[in-house]
Amino acid sequence: MRHVLLTGATGLLGRYLMKDLLSRGVKLAVLVRPSRRNNPYVRVEAAMRVWEDQLQRSLPRPKVLCGDIISSDLGLSGPELSWATENCEAVIHNAASLSFVSTGRHSEPWRSNVGGTENVLEFCQQAGIEKFHHVSTAYVAGKRIGRVYENELNVGQEFANPYEESKVEAEEKVRSSRFLKSLTVLRPAIIVGDSNSGLTFTYHNFYAMLQLGCTLVQSMAQKDFTGKTRGDDFKINVDGHERKNLVPVDWVSEAMARIITTPSLHGQTYHLTPRVPVTVRLIRDVMEEVMETYGLTFSGADGVMGIDQEIEQIFLKHMEVYHSYWKDDPEFDSTNTIKALPDLPCPLVDRKMLTHLARVAIQRGFNWRDPKVEASQFQPELVAN
Ligand SMILES: NC(=O)c1ccc[n+]([C@@H]2O[C@H](COP(=O)([O-])OP(=O)(O)OC[C@H]3O[C@@H](n4cnc5c(N)ncnc54)[C@H](OP(=O)(O)O)[C@@H]3O)[C@@H](O)[C@H]2O)c1
């Protein structure tokens, strides 16, 4: 059996994919860039130790390749490039920038999402890799309304942010790569933490808003006689009935691992979306509960977001980035996913689960730290097999 090359293995979804694929006996290679603190070997070893600690059993290690998708040849050294060319038969392209803001096409998210995808495709073509699993997003639908099908991509829709647009362009690049014999496109909705443990490694979207909300509430008046902070000066410019599609990371990864390891399921596009979306009102209720505040009001979709004090205006500025996040989602048709995985429905993301996810994030201070791995004692050769 030859190796499958995974990009983005150090991210939220990538860490789950690494665990789930290695647990299934997949021979995995991972392309990882250094962080400010650690080299790729140390990063992957630390991530694997987290899983071993959680699962209380040992796991095989992936082959670690030091690289960066924004560089040609994926930034691989000569020997690593030769190894990858000789030993990899498929790619799971999961790495991406999740930045919602951009200063232009030379910067993120374009650089990693479009340029990076081009580089990964070029590497595949040169290495003769014809099997490709592409992690896209359900939000390639942009600002579409109504029902969105798995076989649709660019229908001239508008986008809420450069991230969505860059992911459409990336998907188009992949789809137009004629040398690929098998292309599977996986489109998750908004990924939140683990449906059981609440574990998450990153704090985008739902968490970023929750974190801003927590900071805002802390900066506001003290608790009143109810024991809570009054939040009715703070208006959010939505109606409240807008729907958002949240999916727990453990389910997304399990679904992807099943699809990737079942050849008969390749060659399709899958919306990895929930059975039932949550409403913005529910998210608001959960935020009020965990932040111990009350009275956050909706001013309507055309209303003005606002509160008076200067400090809170600063927070509203930050919230603007997530304005698009509050808009009503389209209805994601997931016929292919339901047919492929009839026994693996998405767990219901309801008030109880959202509250649990929010509480875990607050307890952790919206922060994740891997266990320390001593670089000096750690021998890369041990994992490089
Ligand atoms: N999170 C969501 O709600 C969501 C929803 C739908 C689809 N998706 C898609 O799911 C995939 C994974 O997302 P995620 O939530 O796991 O994101 P994440 O936690 O931010 O992880 C992104 C991963 O990509 C890597 N990466 C980014 N730019 C890179 C580069 N230039 N070279 C090498 N690696 C690079 C990061 O490496 P570092 O650790 O070095 O930064 C990290 O491992 C993405 O394709 C994303 O578009 C995510």
Side-chain angles (χ1 to χ4, degrees), residues 109 114 181 201 254 270 284 300 323 335 361 371:
V114 179
K181 293 264 161 50
F201 302 108
E254 172 76 14
Y270 296 97
R284 189 274 313 259
H323 178 49
T335 302

PDB file of all heavy atoms in Angstrom, residues 109 114 181 201 254 270 284 300 323 335 361 371:
ATOM      1  N   PRO A 109      -6.661  35.319   1.986  1.00  0.00           N
ATOM      2  CA  PRO A 109      -6.634  33.858   1.862  1.00  0.00           C
ATOM      3  C   PRO A 109      -6.292  33.371   0.455  1.00  0.00           C
ATOM      4  O   PRO A 109      -6.175  32.188   0.231  1.00  0.00           O
ATOM      5  CB  PRO A 109      -8.080  33.473   2.199  1.00  0.00           C
ATOM      6  CG  PRO A 109      -8.893  34.624   1.684  1.00  0.00           C
ATOM      7  CD  PRO A 109      -8.060  35.845   1.894  1.00  0.00           C
ATOM      8  N   VAL A 114      -5.758  29.668  -3.314  1.00  0.00           N
ATOM      9  CA  VAL A 114      -5.700  29.525  -4.775  1.00  0.00           C
ATOM     10  C   VAL A 114      -4.276  29.152  -5.207  1.00  0.00           C
ATOM     11  O   VAL A 114      -4.065  28.096  -5.828  1.00  0.00           O
ATOM     12  CB  VAL A 114      -6.188  30.806  -5.485  1.00  0.00           C
ATOM     13  CG1 VAL A 114      -6.088  30.654  -6.990  1.00  0.00           C
ATOM     14  CG2 VAL A 114      -7.635  31.109  -5.085  1.00  0.00           C
ATOM     15  N   LYS A 181      -7.691  11.426 -12.299  1.00  0.00           N
ATOM     16  CA  LYS A 181      -8.604  10.349 -12.718  1.00  0.00           C
ATOM     17  C   LYS A 181      -9.763  10.227 -11.729  1.00  0.00           C
ATOM     18  O   LYS A 181     -10.824   9.712 -12.058  1.00  0.00           O
ATOM     19  CB  LYS A 181      -7.845   9.012 -12.759  1.00  0.00           C
ATOM     20  CG  LYS A 181      -6.772   8.955 -13.838  1.00  0.00           C
ATOM     21  CD  LYS A 181      -7.320   8.279 -15.096  1.00  0.00           C
ATOM     22  CE  LYS A 181      -6.531   8.550 -16.355  1.00  0.00           C
ATOM     23  NZ  LYS A 181      -5.108   8.357 -16.292  1.00  0.00           N
ATOM     24  N   PHE A 201      -9.272  22.856  18.589  1.00  0.00           N
ATOM     25  CA  PHE A 201      -7.891  23.347  18.605  1.00  0.00           C
ATOM     26  C   PHE A 201      -7.796  24.771  18.084  1.00  0.00           C
ATOM     27  O   PHE A 201      -6.778  25.420  18.241  1.00  0.00           O
ATOM     28  CB  PHE A 201      -6.998  22.428  17.749  1.00  0.00           C
ATOM     29  CG  PHE A 201      -7.018  20.994  18.200  1.00  0.00           C
ATOM     30  CD1 PHE A 201      -7.660  20.018  17.451  1.00  0.00           C
ATOM     31  CD2 PHE A 201      -6.407  20.618  19.386  1.00  0.00           C
ATOM     32  CE1 PHE A 201      -7.682  18.700  17.865  1.00  0.00           C
ATOM     33  CE2 PHE A 201      -6.425  19.301  19.815  1.00  0.00           C
ATOM     34  CZ  PHE A 201      -7.072  18.336  19.048  1.00  0.00           C
ATOM     35  N   GLU A 254     -14.906  11.831  10.694  1.00  0.00           N
ATOM     36  CA  GLU A 254     -15.346  10.432  10.545  1.00  0.00           C
ATOM     37  C   GLU A 254     -15.974  10.226   9.159  1.00  0.00           C
ATOM     38  O   GLU A 254     -15.686   9.247   8.463  1.00  0.00           O
ATOM     39  CB  GLU A 254     -16.367  10.126  11.650  1.00  0.00           C
ATOM     40  CG  GLU A 254     -17.091   8.791  11.566  1.00  0.00           C
ATOM     41  CD  GLU A 254     -16.225   7.606  12.001  1.00  0.00           C
ATOM     42  OE1 GLU A 254     -15.172   7.853  12.607  1.00  0.00           O
ATOM     43  OE2 GLU A 254     -16.618   6.462  11.703  1.00  0.00           O
ATOM     44  N   TYR A 270     -19.578  15.997  -1.816  1.00  0.00           N
ATOM     45  CA  TYR A 270     -20.374  15.726  -0.618  1.00  0.00           C
ATOM     46  C   TYR A 270     -20.565  16.988   0.216  1.00  0.00           C
ATOM     47  O   TYR A 270     -19.574  17.594   0.653  1.00  0.00           O
ATOM     48  CB  TYR A 270     -19.689  14.671   0.246  1.00  0.00           C
ATOM     49  CG  TYR A 270     -19.573  13.321  -0.437  1.00  0.00           C
ATOM     50  CD1 TYR A 270     -18.395  12.947  -1.094  1.00  0.00           C
ATOM     51  CD2 TYR A 270     -20.643  12.428  -0.444  1.00  0.00           C
ATOM     52  CE1 TYR A 270     -18.291  11.707  -1.725  1.00  0.00           C
ATOM     53  CE2 TYR A 270     -20.547  11.187  -1.079  1.00  0.00           C
ATOM     54  CZ  TYR A 270     -19.370  10.842  -1.715  1.00  0.00           C
ATOM     55  OH  TYR A 270     -19.272   9.621  -2.347  1.00  0.00           O
ATOM     56  N   ARG A 284     -27.655  33.127  20.032  1.00  0.00           N
ATOM     57  CA  ARG A 284     -27.736  34.256  20.967  1.00  0.00           C
ATOM     58  C   ARG A 284     -28.107  33.760  22.379  1.00  0.00           C
ATOM     59  O   ARG A 284     -27.493  34.141  23.377  1.00  0.00           O
ATOM     60  CB  ARG A 284     -28.778  35.262  20.446  1.00  0.00           C
ATOM     61  CG  ARG A 284     -28.866  36.593  21.162  1.00  0.00           C
ATOM     62  CD  ARG A 284     -29.767  36.630  22.398  1.00  0.00           C
ATOM     63  NE  ARG A 284     -31.077  36.031  22.237  1.00  0.00           N
ATOM     64  CZ  ARG A 284     -32.202  36.706  22.030  1.00  0.00           C
ATOM     65  NH1 ARG A 284     -32.171  38.009  21.918  1.00  0.00           N
ATOM     66  NH2 ARG A 284     -33.369  36.073  21.934  1.00  0.00           N
ATOM     67  N   GLY A 300     -33.079  43.740  13.646  1.00  0.00           N
ATOM     68  CA  GLY A 300     -33.579  43.460  12.300  1.00  0.00           C
ATOM     69  C   GLY A 300     -32.444  43.495  11.302  1.00  0.00           C
ATOM     70  O   GLY A 300     -31.425  44.158  11.516  1.00  0.00           O
ATOM     71  N   HIS A 323     -19.967  39.891  10.226  1.00  0.00           N
ATOM     72  CA  HIS A 323     -21.326  40.281   9.881  1.00  0.00           C
ATOM     73  C   HIS A 323     -21.960  39.264   8.932  1.00  0.00           C
ATOM     74  O   HIS A 323     -23.094  38.826   9.118  1.00  0.00           O
ATOM     75  CB  HIS A 323     -21.339  41.674   9.266  1.00  0.00           C
ATOM     76  CG  HIS A 323     -22.709  42.109   8.849  1.00  0.00           C
ATOM     77  ND1 HIS A 323     -23.801  42.003   9.688  1.00  0.00           N
ATOM     78  CD2 HIS A 323     -23.187  42.618   7.689  1.00  0.00           C
ATOM     79  CE1 HIS A 323     -24.880  42.425   9.055  1.00  0.00           C
ATOM     80  NE2 HIS A 323     -24.534  42.797   7.840  1.00  0.00           N
ATOM     81  N   THR A 335     -27.824  15.007  -0.670  1.00  0.00           N
ATOM     82  CA  THR A 335     -28.248  13.695  -1.179  1.00  0.00           C
ATOM     83  C   THR A 335     -27.081  12.717  -1.262  1.00  0.00           C
ATOM     84  O   THR A 335     -27.196  11.560  -0.834  1.00  0.00           O
ATOM     85  CB  THR A 335     -28.897  13.871  -2.572  1.00  0.00           C
ATOM     86  OG1 THR A 335     -29.988  14.774  -2.434  1.00  0.00           O
ATOM     87  CG2 THR A 335     -29.394  12.547  -3.128  1.00  0.00           C
ATOM     88  N   ALA A 361     -14.864  25.975  25.591  1.00  0.00           N
ATOM     89  CA  ALA A 361     -13.994  27.015  25.016  1.00  0.00           C
ATOM     90  C   ALA A 361     -13.669  28.087  26.062  1.00  0.00           C
ATOM     91  O   ALA A 361     -12.515  28.523  26.175  1.00  0.00           O
ATOM     92  CB  ALA A 361     -14.675  27.650  23.806  1.00  0.00           C
ATOM     93  N   PRO A 371       1.147  19.644  24.191  1.00  0.00           N
ATOM     94  CA  PRO A 371       2.164  19.281  25.183  1.00  0.00           C
ATOM     95  C   PRO A 371       3.557  19.576  24.627  1.00  0.00           C
ATOM     96  O   PRO A 371       3.752  19.583  23.414  1.00  0.00           O
ATOM     97  CB  PRO A 371       1.951  17.774  25.355  1.00  0.00           C
ATOM     98  CG  PRO A 371       1.235  17.323  24.136  1.00  0.00           C
ATOM     99  CD  PRO A 371       0.427  18.481  23.673  1.00  0.00           C
TER     100      PRO A 371
END
